[in-house]
Amino acid sequence: MVDFVRHIGSWTLGVIREMGRLFLFLWEVLLSIPAPPYRWTNFLKQVHFIGIRSLFVIALTAVFTGMVLALQGYYTLSRFGSEGLLGPAVALSIIRELGPVLSGLMVTGRAGSALTAELGIMRIREQIDALDVMGIPPLKFLVTPRVEAGLLVVPLLTVLFDVIGVWGGYLVAVRLLGMSGGTYFGGIESAVEMHDIVTGLIKSVCFGLIVTWICTYKGYFTRRGAEGVSYATTSAVVMSSVLILVCDYFITSIML
């Protein structure tokens, strides 16, 4: 019994210590963003890596999400004679929830894991220590541009997801099921408000911060060689994905 209590206490202290280090890391990164020097080359490189190279997977996910929503929504709404609400149902589902969440999860899987692995390899090769020895702050040089890029790129990818998702719904609703295009887009115009768009954008900014924060933290403090990089990458993807879903619930609760 004593060993069990000691084990629980040790585990709890470890979790509290890890949480403290995680938030201290975020605090230092946020403080470094407005401080010079500004690494524009690194920033643009990360915008290309996180944003441009995620365009294909975001577009593909968005179009099929919109198509599935339209297909399921049409047959559900037709039971109640409310097919005319299909456009608003698709648009609001994507803009308020699915666009930000799925964009965050796709960026986590495609770019977040790579961020962790890249920083983890630099850590075990002692390249991060070398930067510190040369007087170059590794946090400012390596982590800050990645977080800045995530804060900019994920909202832009979410907007792209929203537009393509709505058009994916249009393809099924109008081209496949024979619904009037005017009814589809007219319903969207009358139902979607600025509050819905702002809610989705706020979520996407938070998700961009979560993905880059967690993934860079896990890579920055990687230990134990190749095995440590593998563990850190898996841990970063799982933790980022869970935090996105948890954060989505709380933001939705606050902004409803």
Side-chain angles (χ1 to χ4, degrees), residues 204-237:
S204 64
V205 171
C206 294
F207 299 162
L209 177 63
I210 288 173
V211 172
T212 49
W213 167 34
I214 300 299
C215 292
T216 53
Y217 171 81
K218 291 290 183 180
Y220 193 80
F221 291 107
T222 297
R223 299 293 179 189
R224 297 179 299 172
E227 182 186 354
V229 174
S230 174
Y231 174 80
T233 304
T234 305
S235 175
V237 171

Side-chain angles (χ1 to χ4, degrees), residues 68-87:
V68 167
L69 277 177
L71 201 57
Q72 289 281 9
Y74 182 82
Y75 287 107
T76 302
L77 292 172
S78 63
R79 296 180 183 178
F80 307 99
S82 305
E83 299 93 334
L85 298 176
L86 182 61

Side-chain angles (χ1 to χ4, degrees), residues 43-104:
F43 171 71
L44 293 176
K45 181 182 175 183
Q46 295 306 319
V47 168
H48 177 266
F49 178 72
I50 299 173
I52 304 298
R53 295 180 65 177
S54 299
L55 285 176
F56 178 73
V57 69
I58 291 291
L60 198 64
T61 306
V63 71
F64 280 102
T65 299
M67 291 170 71
V68 167
L69 277 177
L71 201 57
Q72 289 281 9
Y74 182 82
Y75 287 107
T76 302
L77 292 172
S78 63
R79 296 180 183 178
F80 307 99
S82 305
E83 299 93 334
L85 298 176
L86 182 61
V90 171
L92 289 174
S93 299
I94 290 177
I95 292 172
R96 294 181 65 96
E97 293 296 334
L98 295 177
V101 171
L102 291 181
S103 296

